[in-house]
Amino acid sequence: AGALAAYCLMLGDDALVHSHRLSQWASNAPDLEEDIALSNVALDLLGQARLLLARAAAADPDLVPALPEGSPVPPEDALAFFRDEAAFRNVRLAEQENGDFAATVVRLLLLSSHRLALLQRLVASSDQVLAAIAAKGVKELTYHRDYAGRWFLTLAQGTAESRRRLLAGLALVWPLRAELARTHPVERLVAEQGVGVDPASVTDEVDVLLEQVFSVSGVERPGLPATGTVAGGAGREGRHSEAMGRLLAEMQVVARAHPTGLW
Amino acid sequence: AGALAAYCLMLGDDALVHSHRLSQWASNAPDLEEDIALSNVALDLLGQARLLLARAAAADPDLVPALPEGSPVPPEDALAFFRDEAAFRNVRLAEQENGDFAATVVRLLLLSSHRLALLQRLVASSDQVLAAIAAKGVKELTYHRDYAGRWFLTLAQGTAESRRRLLAGLALVWPLRAELARTHPVERLVAEQGVGVDPASVTDEVDVLLEQVFSVSGVERPGLPATGTVAGGAGREGRHSEAMGRLLAEMQVVARAHPTGLW
Amino acid sequence: TALVEQFEQVLARHDRIEPRDWMPEKYRATLVRQIAQHAHSEIIGMQPEGNWITRAPSLRRKAILLAKVQDEAGHGLYLYSACETLGVSRQELTEKLVSGQQKYSSIFNYPTLSYADVGTIGWLVDGAAIANQVPLCRTSYGPYGRSMIRICKEESFHQRQGYELLMTMMRGSDAQRAMVQESVDRFWWPALMMFGPPDDDSPNTAQSMAWGIKRDTNDELRQKFVDMSVPQAERLGVTLPDPDLVWNAERGHHDFGQPDWEEFRAVVTGAGPCNAQRIAHRRRAHEDGAWVRDAATAFAARSSAEPVETREARA
Amino acid sequence: TALVEQFEQVLARHDRIEPRDWMPEKYRATLVRQIAQHAHSEIIGMQPEGNWITRAPSLRRKAILLAKVQDEAGHGLYLYSACETLGVSRQELTEKLVSGQQKYSSIFNYPTLSYADVGTIGWLVDGAAIANQVPLCRTSYGPYGRSMIRICKEESFHQRQGYELLMTMMRGSDAQRAMVQESVDRFWWPALMMFGPPDDDSPNTAQSMAWGIKRDTNDELRQKFVDMSVPQAERLGVTLPDPDLVWNAERGHHDFGQPDWEEFRAVVTGAGPCNAQRIAHRRRAHEDGAWVRDAATAFAARSSAEPVETREARA
């Protein structure tokens, strides 16, 4: 149960934090259609995050931060708003500042291709709840990945400026991708149990897909080295980038000011 | 004592919040010299803020937010980190996001000219502490104003681009200036008591100075209307702009996470 | 002429004018102005609420708020499309918005200062908007009327969500109750201003009513809104900040005080607390997005120019 | 030749080479590389600590931190000036920094993740920097040596402030003590890496020592740092994360484990946790400031070109 809960936190935090970043595009996107589309993706991920955090809390109630006696805060919110940075399990790629639309598209492509591959296998999870969450998520992620892929192609083949920005975004985001394939002991364990998926097991499949997107777009796969770890750990160990502290300060400020608040 | 304390909060919060904004230039300024200069100004204002908040707390201990029993947080920090947005008394001009260097220079010119004029009179305050703080501050503010004035002229007369940006910054910042001259009942009261200065009483003098800067720089005084109030109030009444909430979320996050912390 | 007569007849029988129908130039211009202003209001209206998406205090409220702001973008889309049926492009209208040539609802020039504002905007601001807009569902111009039907439906959903948020907060902590009251104190008067100046100071009302673009006067709508809001405020447990607010049994309506029309004029002419901020935000987003829109246009042009086989081979 | 002999004599008597003196080209190049790298380290070093200025948890700590980051900018200034005495401009060096052609101390490619890191950087990172730099006060090139005297003085001040912050936090709450320990765990090994690779893997050391640019080997300095830090850690009440750390009475020194030199090489060659972020930050600040520097240059040129009377009349 501990491993299942920890695993749900990883999947849930990836969704929650990426959703947060995407939601920052609201009223800032290049056009109304993209404003709506990015909000859609953010909403899908937020929905997944809620289910996954609730599953984590159900599987291991000890994970949920303690709140003042009688606080009406539900477990999903206790996890989202009352955990400290080091307790968040998302990959660092999810928490990076948005940069421009190109960087956002590349990040979405990398995160959604990987997550889609995971969810496609998680449909067969021995945990019924996780399997159901995955089944719902597969449809959503397919849309996210296709959306990102279409824009990747459009920016690569659009104008010289859009291509320049796409390549710059790719260079920025790519080195953080390796973390997605780094198997955490918890992931190894849940994979062995048939509950979860070893992320390393989907990288080949994702690589093939990305190769297609790159080749249609006429973009070379970057040769950049992976972003290093910190004291041997990264996001899954709660060791994040400097962007994470500011993100959480903003995300949690109202909830924390009212630990017994009802919303 | 209540009025003196409230007045010190106004002067102190202007300094604290403006200092916060200027400190955000650290490692971001156009050149090392400006990085150092802007940090200097931020440090001067931070120093003034500390003295003024301490004076406010001494004059009226009830102003200081309650903290957990035995908390070692000193009054200046309790005021800076544990007051909510509506209890901050700074003008909205001080809290605006930095924008580019031109907008920062214009804001610094407007705030420092006004504050210098105030402090020059406050030297004669019947409150000895306030008089001493003012005496120290006059030297600092003279430097701030001259620094801003020099850059105003340089940007106005530098390149077409710098002039364009200066004028854009001026248009952005100018409408918020009127709030500086709006006399709050507390300011009226302390002025009558010989403790403080009615801000409206220095506007003519400041206008003359700004007129000089504008005329040397070949810039016209903007004809823009003053930024409106909210339910009849503005910063001095604790009704701020949307920028303030985010500023405080960041400024207060660590202190609030450790209400019994020793730093 | 026959055309004018036909037009008048459609109006007389409360039927719809459609894009292909003949219409007087002033009717068209008035419609464009009104629909554009409405579209701009939806788009600018995303900002004050969007301000709280990243800080929403529960995941459920975050989802509700994000979906609501997204709906506003959707409303903007329909309304710009309705304008396009009158021959004006979204691009043109956006330029007019960011250059200050066209207006948007002044209510959005007030800042959102606490999470309670998200609820108050739903309750009072969407409430006032609905009161203004429900009659527009029967407006004479077809595409506008049909957009309004859809928009009004979503707006009442938003209004209920806003009211429900406030209700929930009132059942929470003292700090939350104080937050709700403070928010209502700030938004009550601006909400009343949303119906426009008093009738004796509203020169365009008569013509708009004759054309069936508008169906009620400002003061009629304002009265309806006040009568509706008073019992809602009571149920909520908040005080409306108007000492003159009292039930008038004779009229069968509430008497109430006048908003500060001086402030209204100032905000309408650009001197509200957030006018500059809202326009600057919109302009920045629009300018920052130019290269993306250009890329999409260039890509679309290239794709349609290429022979189909090449495209298929490539994909 | 006579010049070479004279140069060698100055070195032999541990005297200073001055900018106007003849020097071998390789000596000059080595100096430029070393001083530039040092200057860049000061400038990039502003970022990890600057990250916490706006979030400092007390006003006193905020002032200390802001002043420290400002000092680093000042150190960068002196060092770029020292480089200018060797004929290389700050502009050139900055271009080399942001294009990745010149390096800076790898320690700054680690993120700061809590306020304790501000203290740890003062204690361990500034401590290691001082251990590296104190010998440089006696370095053969005059302007560099004199900069180092001033810088070392300020650095030891910073180190004491950092240590004092950690001491204070250790007297605070349990959460603060845990924060300090966690921070030391992250920074201990990267701090040891600051002395560079082991001597048998450090090809430039011998030449630099012969030229008097460097005065101790990497391993000597590392040993000194460990011996100094162990009692400080004890006094603080933190554990250093090295199971092999033990006093060796025979050697009169501590034995200790080796840092992960694989990680060191990765970080040096660009694959640390923050390399890309640090360079991108610096480049953005540099590019964003271009118009300001251009304006200053244009204004200065115009002012000096104008007759003095005009300038006076205008001012």
Side-chain angles (χ1 to χ4, degrees):
Chain A
L4 169 62
Y7 184 60
C8 288
L9 274 192
M10 293 175 183
L11 292 174
D13 287 345
D14 280 354
L16 177 62
V17 168
H18 191 202
S19 168
H20 179 100
R21 286 300 184 206
L22 292 171
S23 77
Q24 291 180 306
W25 278 103
S27 91
N28 289 299
D31 220 338
L32 286 178
E33 287 81 354
E34 303 337 307
D35 221 301
I36 292 170
L38 291 171
S39 289
N40 252 334
V41 179
L43 277 166
D44 287 344
L45 291 173
L46 181 55
Q48 294 178 18
R50 293 179 63 188
L51 296 170
L52 287 161
L53 295 187
R55 181 74 192 105
D60 184 1
D62 289 347
L63 274 182
V64 182
L67 283 167
E69 191 80 34
S71 164
V73 174
E76 63 173 43
D77 291 333
L79 283 169
F81 299 106
F82 292 89
R83 264 184 304 160
D84 289 334
E85 178 174 334
F88 274 81
R89 292 287 173 261
N90 57 285
V91 292
R92 292 174 297 177
L93 178 53
E95 77 210 22
Q96 297 310 301
E97 277 164 26
N98 283 329
D100 65 8
F101 185 71
T104 295
V105 161
V106 176
R107 184 181 56 192
L108 181 58
L109 178 67
L110 300 187
L111 283 172
S112 62
S113 316
H114 182 79
R115 192 175 180 87
L116 175 56
L118 288 183
L119 295 188
Q120 280 169 336
R121 293 174 193 215
L122 278 174
V123 167
S125 168
S126 62
D127 182 69
Q128 296 303 308
V129 183
L130 200 47
I133 296 172
K136 180 169 173 294
V138 163
K139 272 175 243 151
E140 297 170 344
L141 264 297
T142 306
Y143 166 75
H144 304 176
R145 188 200 56 186
D146 292 352
Y147 175 82
R150 269 199 316 280
W151 269 110
F152 192 99
L153 171 61
T154 304
L155 297 181
Q157 302 281 330
T159 64
E161 171 71 358
S162 71
R163 188 173 176 85
R164 185 187 70 72
R165 284 177 181 260
L166 181 79
L167 296 179
L170 186 58
L172 206 69
V173 167
W174 184 263
L176 286 157
R177 190 197 159 208
E179 196 179 331
L180 287 168
R182 232 178 128 246
T183 308
H184 185 278
V186 159
E187 290 168 316
R188 180 161 300 122
L189 190 62
V190 289
E192 285 163 7
Q193 296 169 341
V195 168
V197 178
D198 181 346
S201 72
V202 304
T203 38
D204 285 352
E205 172 189 334
V206 175
D207 267 342
V208 169
L209 177 115
L210 291 178
E211 207 41 71
Q212 283 173 356
V213 177
F214 288 174
S215 119
V216 177
S217 306
V219 165
E220 245 181 277
R221 184 192 170 93
L224 299 162
T227 304
T229 56
V230 177
R236 297 279 187 240
E237 286 82 18
R239 283 198 278 287
H240 294 277
S241 60
E242 290 173 0
M244 188 67 174
R246 288 200 159 74
L247 182 153
L248 290 180
E250 186 171 332
M251 185 172 105
Q252 300 180 329
V253 63
V254 179
R256 288 195 174 201
H258 301 275
T260 59
L262 191 64
W263 302 100
Chain B
L4 169 61
Y7 184 60
C8 287
L9 274 193
M10 293 175 182
L11 291 173
D13 287 344
D14 281 354
L16 177 61
V17 169
H18 190 203
S19 167
H20 179 98
R21 285 300 184 204
L22 292 171
S23 77
Q24 291 180 306
W25 279 103
S27 91
N28 290 298
D31 219 338
L32 287 178
E33 287 80 355
E34 303 336 308
D35 221 302
I36 292 169
L38 291 171
S39 289
N40 252 334
V41 178
L43 276 166
D44 287 345
L45 291 173
L46 181 55
Q48 293 178 19
R50 294 180 63 187
L51 296 168
L52 287 160
L53 295 187
R55 183 72 191 105
D60 183 0
D62 290 344
L63 274 183
V64 182
L67 283 167
E69 190 82 33
S71 164
V73 174
E76 63 174 43
D77 291 334
L79 284 169
F81 298 106
F82 293 88
R83 264 184 304 159
D84 290 333
E85 178 173 336
F88 275 80
R89 291 289 173 261
N90 56 287
V91 292
R92 291 173 297 176
L93 178 54
E95 76 210 20
Q96 297 311 298
E97 276 163 27
N98 283 328
D100 66 7
F101 185 71
T104 294
V105 161
V106 176
R107 182 181 59 191
L108 181 58
L109 178 68
L110 300 187
L111 283 172
S112 63
S113 316
H114 182 79
R115 192 173 180 89
L116 176 57
L118 288 182
L119 294 188
Q120 281 168 337
R121 290 172 198 216
L122 278 174
V123 167
S125 168
S126 63
D127 182 70
Q128 296 303 310
V129 182
L130 201 46
I133 296 171
K136 179 167 173 296
V138 163
K139 270 175 243 150
E140 297 171 343
L141 265 297
T142 306
Y143 165 75
H144 304 176
R145 187 200 57 188
D146 292 352
Y147 175 82
R150 267 197 318 279
W151 269 110
F152 192 99
L153 172 60
T154 303
L155 297 181
Q157 302 281 330
T159 63
E161 172 70 358
S162 71
R163 188 174 177 84
R164 185 187 69 72
R165 284 178 180 260
L166 182 79
L167 296 178
L170 186 58
L172 206 70
V173 167
W174 185 263
L176 285 157
R177 188 196 161 212
E179 196 178 331
L180 287 167
R182 229 176 130 250
T183 308
H184 184 278
V186 160
E187 290 168 315
R188 181 162 300 121
L189 191 62
V190 291
E192 284 164 11
Q193 294 169 343
V195 168
V197 177
D198 181 345
S201 72
V202 304
T203 37
D204 285 352
E205 174 188 334
V206 175
D207 268 343
V208 169
L209 177 115
L210 291 179
E211 207 39 73
Q212 282 173 357
V213 177
F214 289 174
S215 118
V216 177
S217 306
V219 166
E220 243 180 277
R221 184 192 171 93
L224 299 161
T227 305
T229 56
V230 177
R236 298 280 188 242
E237 286 83 18
R239 282 197 280 284
H240 294 278
S241 59
E242 290 173 359
M244 188 67 173
R246 289 201 159 75
L247 182 153
L248 290 181
E250 185 171 332
M251 185 172 105
Q252 299 180 328
V253 64
V254 180
R256 288 194 174 202
H258 302 274
T260 59
L262 191 64
W263 302 99
Chain C
T1 73
L3 286 167
V4 175
E5 248 168 60
Q6 210 179 343
F7 175 79
E8 302 284 1
Q9 279 167 6
V10 173
L11 294 191
R13 62 172 188 269
H14 293 290
D15 206 349
R16 304 272 209 201
I17 304 291
E18 293 301 331
R20 62 187 177 286
D21 295 340
W22 180 89
M23 59 189 88
E25 257 324 297
K26 280 194 72 175
Y27 173 87
R28 180 189 302 270
T30 303
L31 266 175
V32 167
R33 189 171 53 82
Q34 184 174 330
I35 304 175
Q37 184 163 329
H38 190 168
H40 297 332
S41 299
E42 296 285 355
I43 299 308
I44 296 290
M46 296 168 73
Q47 291 180 37
E49 291 180 276
N51 184 35
W52 290 93
I53 292 172
T54 54
R55 290 178 286 175
S58 85
L59 296 182
R60 176 170 161 259
R61 289 295 170 193
K62 192 190 284 279
I64 291 173
L65 179 57
L66 184 51
K68 181 184 173 185
V69 172
Q70 188 191 33
D71 281 347
E72 287 165 359
H75 297 176
L77 258 186
Y78 315 152
L79 290 164
Y80 285 127
S81 301
C83 257
E84 282 175 342
T85 66
L86 293 162
V88 193
S89 73
R90 198 204 298 182
Q91 172 73 15
E92 277 174 81
L93 295 173
T94 302
E95 301 290 348
K96 283 194 173 149
L97 168 63
V98 300
S99 65
Q101 289 171 265
Q102 283 181 342
K103 306 231 170 289
Y104 52 88
S105 178
S106 279
I107 190 74
F108 301 123
N109 290 317
Y110 291 89
T112 51
L113 301 181
S114 79
Y115 204 79
D117 289 1
V118 170
T120 307
I121 287 180
W123 173 40
L124 293 179
V125 175
D126 292 346
I130 294 165
N132 266 327
Q133 290 166 8
V134 162
L136 293 176
C137 297
R138 296 176 289 120
T139 198
S140 59
Y141 186 61
Y144 189 29
R146 287 186 293 272
S147 301
M148 289 317 305
I149 291 171
R150 180 159 171 192
I151 290 175
C152 279
K153 211 186 274 176
E154 295 187 0
E155 298 270 22
S156 8
F157 184 60
H158 296 161
Q159 196 202 9
R160 278 198 305 276
Q161 286 178 326
Y163 190 71
E164 191 256 325
L165 167 58
L166 297 182
M167 269 294 194
T168 308
M169 289 180 68
M170 292 302 284
R171 288 188 286 113
S173 64
D174 287 344
Q176 288 182 294
R177 275 183 286 278
M179 203 192 279
V180 172
Q181 180 64 58
E182 192 274 338
S183 173
V184 170
D185 288 345
R186 267 186 290 112
F187 273 101
W188 174 251
W189 292 113
L192 289 195
M193 295 179 195
M194 287 178 69
F195 300 94
D199 291 346
D200 51 21
D201 194 24
S202 179
N204 301 321
T205 296
Q207 176 64 82
S208 288
M209 288 181 77
W211 277 336
I213 295 177
K214 198 165 172 171
R215 301 251 175 220
D216 303 88
T217 77
N218 297 351
D219 285 335
E220 283 164 15
L221 289 169
R222 189 163 17 243
Q223 180 71 61
K224 213 186 254 179
F225 176 73
V226 170
D227 290 341
M228 203 173 63
S229 301
V230 168
Q232 291 171 341
E234 272 165 23
R235 207 145 37 102
L236 204 49
V238 297
T239 313
L240 296 175
D242 179 357
D244 298 333
L245 186 64
V246 64
W247 176 251
N248 182 328
E250 203 170 315
R251 292 205 301 124
H253 290 292
H254 292 87
D255 291 339
F256 57 97
Q258 285 296 302
D260 179 347
W261 292 115
E262 199 73 40
E263 174 175 319
F264 176 72
R265 262 181 299 273
V267 177
V268 166
T269 55
C274 300
N275 302 53
Q277 176 189 335
R278 299 292 184 233
I279 290 290
H281 179 128
R282 191 72 243 129
R283 184 184 298 129
R284 184 191 41 67
H286 186 65
E287 289 173 358
D288 285 356
W291 68 271
V292 179
R293 297 189 301 273
D294 290 348
T297 309
F299 180 74
R302 183 167 315 162
S303 307
S304 61
E306 270 177 36
V308 176
E309 313 87 82
T310 321
R311 255 153 62 205
E312 278 173 352
R314 218 165 57 181
Chain D
T1 74
L3 285 168
V4 175
E5 247 167 64
Q6 209 178 346
F7 175 78
E8 302 284 1
Q9 279 165 10
V10 173
L11 294 192
R13 63 171 190 269
H14 294 290
D15 206 350
R16 304 273 209 200
I17 305 292
E18 293 300 330
R20 63 188 175 285
D21 296 340
W22 180 89
M23 60 189 88
E25 257 322 298
K26 280 195 69 175
Y27 173 87
R28 181 190 301 269
T30 303
L31 266 176
V32 167
R33 189 171 52 83
Q34 184 174 330
I35 304 175
Q37 182 162 330
H38 190 168
H40 296 332
S41 299
E42 296 285 354
I43 299 309
I44 297 290
M46 296 168 72
Q47 292 180 37
E49 292 181 277
N51 184 35
W52 290 93
I53 292 172
T54 53
R55 290 178 285 175
S58 85
L59 296 182
R60 175 168 162 260
R61 290 294 170 192
K62 192 190 285 279
I64 290 173
L65 180 57
L66 185 51
K68 182 184 173 187
V69 173
Q70 188 190 35
D71 282 347
E72 287 165 359
H75 297 174
L77 257 186
Y78 313 154
L79 289 164
Y80 284 126
S81 302
C83 259
E84 283 175 340
T85 64
L86 293 162
V88 193
S89 74
R90 198 202 301 179
Q91 172 72 16
E92 278 174 80
L93 295 173
T94 302
E95 300 291 348
K96 284 195 171 150
L97 170 63
V98 299
S99 65
Q101 291 172 263
Q102 283 182 342
K103 307 226 168 294
Y104 53 87
S105 177
S106 277
I107 190 75
F108 300 122
N109 290 317
Y110 291 89
T112 51
L113 301 181
S114 79
Y115 204 79
D117 289 2
V118 170
T120 307
I121 287 180
W123 174 38
L124 294 179
V125 174
D126 292 347
I130 294 167
N132 266 328
Q133 290 166 7
V134 163
L136 293 177
C137 295
R138 294 176 288 120
T139 200
S140 57
Y141 187 60
Y144 189 29
R146 286 187 293 272
S147 300
M148 289 318 303
I149 291 171
R150 181 161 170 191
I151 290 174
C152 279
K153 210 187 271 177
E154 295 187 2
E155 298 269 22
S156 16
F157 185 60
H158 295 161
Q159 196 202 9
R160 278 199 304 277
Q161 286 178 326
Y163 191 71
E164 191 256 326
L165 168 57
L166 296 183
M167 270 294 196
T168 308
M169 289 180 69
M170 292 302 285
R171 287 188 287 111
S173 64
D174 287 344
Q176 288 183 296
R177 273 183 289 277
M179 201 190 281
V180 172
Q181 180 64 59
E182 192 275 337
S183 172
V184 170
D185 288 345
R186 268 187 290 112
F187 273 102
W188 174 250
W189 293 112
L192 289 195
M193 295 178 196
M194 287 179 69
F195 299 95
D199 291 346
D200 50 23
D201 194 25
S202 178
N204 301 321
T205 296
Q207 176 65 82
S208 288
M209 288 183 76
W211 277 337
I213 293 175
K214 196 164 173 172
R215 301 251 175 221
D216 303 87
T217 76
N218 296 351
D219 285 334
E220 283 164 14
L221 289 169
R222 191 164 13 244
Q223 180 70 62
K224 211 186 254 182
F225 176 72
V226 171
D227 290 341
M228 204 173 64
S229 300
V230 168
Q232 291 171 344
E234 272 165 25
R235 207 144 39 103
L236 203 48
V238 297
T239 311
L240 297 174
D242 178 357
D244 299 333
L245 187 65
V246 63
W247 174 251
N248 181 328
E250 205 170 312
R251 291 204 303 123
H253 289 295
H254 292 84
D255 293 338
F256 57 98
Q258 285 296 302
D260 179 348
W261 292 115
E262 199 73 40
E263 174 175 319
F264 176 73
R265 261 181 300 272
V267 178
V268 166
T269 55
C274 299
N275 301 53
Q277 177 189 334
R278 300 292 183 232
I279 291 289
H281 179 128
R282 190 72 243 132
R283 184 184 297 129
R284 183 192 42 69
H286 186 65
E287 288 173 359
D288 285 358
W291 69 271
V292 179
R293 296 189 301 273
D294 290 348
T297 309
F299 180 73
R302 182 168 314 163
S303 306
S304 62
E306 271 177 34
V308 176
E309 314 84 82
T310 321
R311 258 152 60 205
E312 278 173 351
R314 217 164 56 178

